[in-house]
Amino acid sequence: MKDRVLFVDDEPNVLDGIRRQLRNRVELETATSAAAGLALVQSRGPYSVVVSDMRMPEMDGARFLAKVNELAPQTVRMVLTGQADLESTITAVNEGRIFRFLLKPCDSETLLGVVKTGIEQYRLVNAEKHLLENTLNATVKVLCDVLGIINPVAQRRATQIQRYAQSAAEALGLLPGMWQYRLAAMISQLGCITMPQETLARAFSGQALTEEERRLYESHPVVAARLIGSIPRLEAVAGMIAAQTQVPARDLSSGDVTSWDPEKIGAAILWAAVRFDRYVSTGRIPEQAAQLVNQAAPGLPPAITAAMVQTISSDSGLVMSRAVSLRELEVGMVIDSDVMSARGTPLVSRGTEVNSTVLERLKAVASGVGVAEPIRVSVKVLE
């Protein structure tokens, strides 16, 4: 996407002058009111830079840029105004997190230079953001692959929890921090990695556990949080994972969604996803599962469980079991029977979802001692 700049001023002649100054030098859009500017940010954003006049009717520049900061935190925000006092300047800087403050009249070269600096700042911030998210996603994917190989029961459940949690976060409009909620769900069951699969299967299905098994299972969120908490920038994700068994507070969703504490709402979403998955996997219909979750946590936003129900309702296709050769094995298939080497050594456990790591491992074994074929798998067939 090209770097676009939005200027907002209630005087059309001022915007006409800015268009003449920056014509053919930047990709420019304009709005004659704060409301029109916010509508553009929502419908056509994000912009690299948003420049606003300070004194406008209905909503001044400080409030407007504070709203822009909520809608598009990465956008660089500036003020270009002919009237400014100390109080309004302080408000704009503190609430709108202003990058530059310019006074009218501003000559073409100065204005162009500052706008270009803002564009470079936007590129820098977004490059760092994408690098961080890609690096963290890759790190978490490795952990999930390891969990899938060692304990496919835990990984299979984590996959379902991720679907529910992501749909809930999207329904609440938590797009800026979506990567945190997705990662927290993906690795929520990482602490189960050392637990016997039989014990996990009984725990997930609601069957009785011994006292020792119960203590071990209940400790898994803390174990996972300790592992993840040592990775830089994942402290909040670790907090969500650690609190996944704690009932959300009644005042969780008070106020605007942008004022919610990301770690608390993330933990609440994860708690709801884990509980919802448990009810569904033990035979409850989705609507009943949602009702039970909402009853257990009266402060939980109803949109969370509604989104989880919708996730199941929109899931189309039939799951069929069939036998395939190693050559036909594909990512996304689920192993129905333990995969063995030609010598009878267990390679991949029943219930494992095939990923690139599993495929590479089997191909490596096939080139040596060999893999017993055919392989029994479950695969979704679209209706």
Side-chain angles (χ1 to χ4, degrees), residues 180-195:
Q180 296 185 82
Y181 307 119
R182 184 176 63 253
L183 292 188
M186 285 174 64
I187 50 183
S188 60
Q189 307 302 299
L190 185 62
C192 299
I193 196 167
T194 59
M195 293 184 64

Side-chain angles (χ1 to χ4, degrees), residues 250-271:
R250 285 179 173 270
D251 60 348
L252 173 72
S253 58
S254 59
D256 187 75
V257 64
T258 56
S259 67
W260 295 354
D261 180 87
E263 186 173 322
K264 288 183 179 179
I265 192 65
I269 290 173
L270 196 51
W271 174 88

Side-chain angles (χ1 to χ4, degrees), residues 324-331 333 359 362-363 366 371 373-375:
V324 298
S325 66
L326 179 56
R327 186 188 297 272
E328 296 171 317
L329 193 64
E330 296 179 357
V331 171
M333 292 180 172
L359 271 178
L362 290 176
K363 289 176 181 178
V371 173
E373 300 183 56
I375 300 170

Side-chain angles (χ1 to χ4, degrees), residues 258-305:
T258 56
S259 67
W260 295 354
D261 180 87
E263 186 173 322
K264 288 183 179 179
I265 192 65
I269 290 173
L270 196 51
W271 174 88
V274 169
R275 206 173 183 94
F276 182 83
D277 179 69
R278 182 181 302 159
Y279 286 136
V280 170
S281 62
T282 53
R284 308 275 187 172
I285 63 172
E287 291 77 10
Q288 187 180 27
Q291 183 179 17
L292 291 170
V293 171
N294 290 331
Q295 288 175 350
L300 196 72
I304 289 179
T305 50

Side-chain angles (χ1 to χ4, degrees), residues 326-356:
L326 179 56
R327 186 188 297 272
E328 296 171 317
L329 193 64
E330 296 179 357
V331 171
M333 292 180 172
V334 177
I335 302 298
D336 270 355
S337 300
D338 292 351
V339 181
M340 315 292 284
S341 74
R343 296 178 180 175
T345 304
L347 298 176
V348 182
S349 301
R350 177 181 180 274
T352 301
E353 181 174 341
V354 178
N355 53 39
S356 57

Side-chain angles (χ1 to χ4, degrees), residues 206-219:
Q207 297 179 39
L209 300 176
T210 67
E211 185 63 24
E212 182 179 353
E213 289 173 334
R214 185 185 61 79
R215 283 198 302 268
L216 183 61
Y217 176 69
E218 290 179 350
S219 69

